[in-house]
Amino acid sequence: MTILFALLLAAAPVAEPVCAAPAPLAEPWTSWTQSGRAQAGAQVQGAPALMLGKPVVADLTPADYVQFAAAPGKRDKEGHGGLFTLSLRQAARIGIALDGPAWVDVVAGKVAVDSVEHGHGPACSGIRKIVWFDLPAGRHIVQIAGAKAPTVRIMAADAKANQPVAAAN
């Protein structure tokens, strides 16, 4: 009986929290609720730029019409996708946050960069997932694939944004 109860609990869907108001966010996500609009690129040339700390609500394209820079880590032919550029002056740990279910890759050159960490955003924040990448300086392509919705809120943030600098002794 105990095993049956444990199996039933494990199989039960996890309910989303009921939120009376959005949760306040800590750095580097404080600007998450602000946003502009963008049309995600269907090819690298002409893909819009993501600016660190500036979220956008992006219109996506059916994935079959997106020319990905590298094969997505996960692809859903019935989903939506899109491309963005991200330029960094120096190497950094960058988090890519999304408000809905989708796969996110960062491509340097023609190779997808392995993520170093991933997780959910704070409860009631509107951030569904955050995927972290250690990226070198330069221009990168951020790819969204397998999104069920035709739009996604996306934000790139530097892990060290607005962190206090240690005082020198």
Side-chain angles (χ1 to χ4, degrees):
M1 184 71 142
T2 304
I3 294 173
L4 179 59
F5 182 70
L7 288 173
L8 288 172
L9 280 178
V14 177
E16 294 289 324
V18 176
C19 303
L25 293 167
E27 289 296 344
W29 308 109
T30 55
S31 62
W32 172 254
T33 58
Q34 303 167 6
S35 61
R37 295 263 334 164
Q39 172 67 50
Q43 55 188 6
V44 172
Q45 185 177 356
L50 288 177
M51 305 300 292
L52 293 175
K54 305 289 184 196
V56 295
V57 174
D59 295 315
L60 302 173
T61 300
D64 282 345
Y65 298 101
V66 179
Q67 295 175 6
F68 293 102
K74 183 176 183 181
R75 184 162 184 175
D76 182 351
K77 289 189 177 256
E78 295 185 18
H80 296 83
L83 305 171
F84 302 88
T85 63
L86 176 65
S87 295
L88 300 176
R89 289 187 181 143
Q90 60 189 26
R93 178 161 287 188
I94 301 297
I96 307 292
L98 301 175
D99 72 344
W103 188 264
V104 62
D105 291 302
V106 175
V107 179
K110 297 275 184 198
V111 178
V113 177
D114 290 333
S115 64
V116 294
E117 186 180 345
H118 62 277
H120 298 286
C124 300
S125 68
I127 299 174
R128 180 179 173 103
K129 74 188 299 182
I130 304 170
V131 183
W132 293 92
F133 300 89
D134 286 336
L135 299 176
R139 184 173 180 259
H140 308 283
I141 303 301
V142 177
Q143 301 186 150
I144 304 299
K148 301 297 182 203
T151 63
V152 67
R153 179 185 299 264
I154 182 171
M155 180 176 160
D158 186 331
K160 294 185 179 182
N162 297 324
Q163 298 296 319
V165 177
N169 290 346

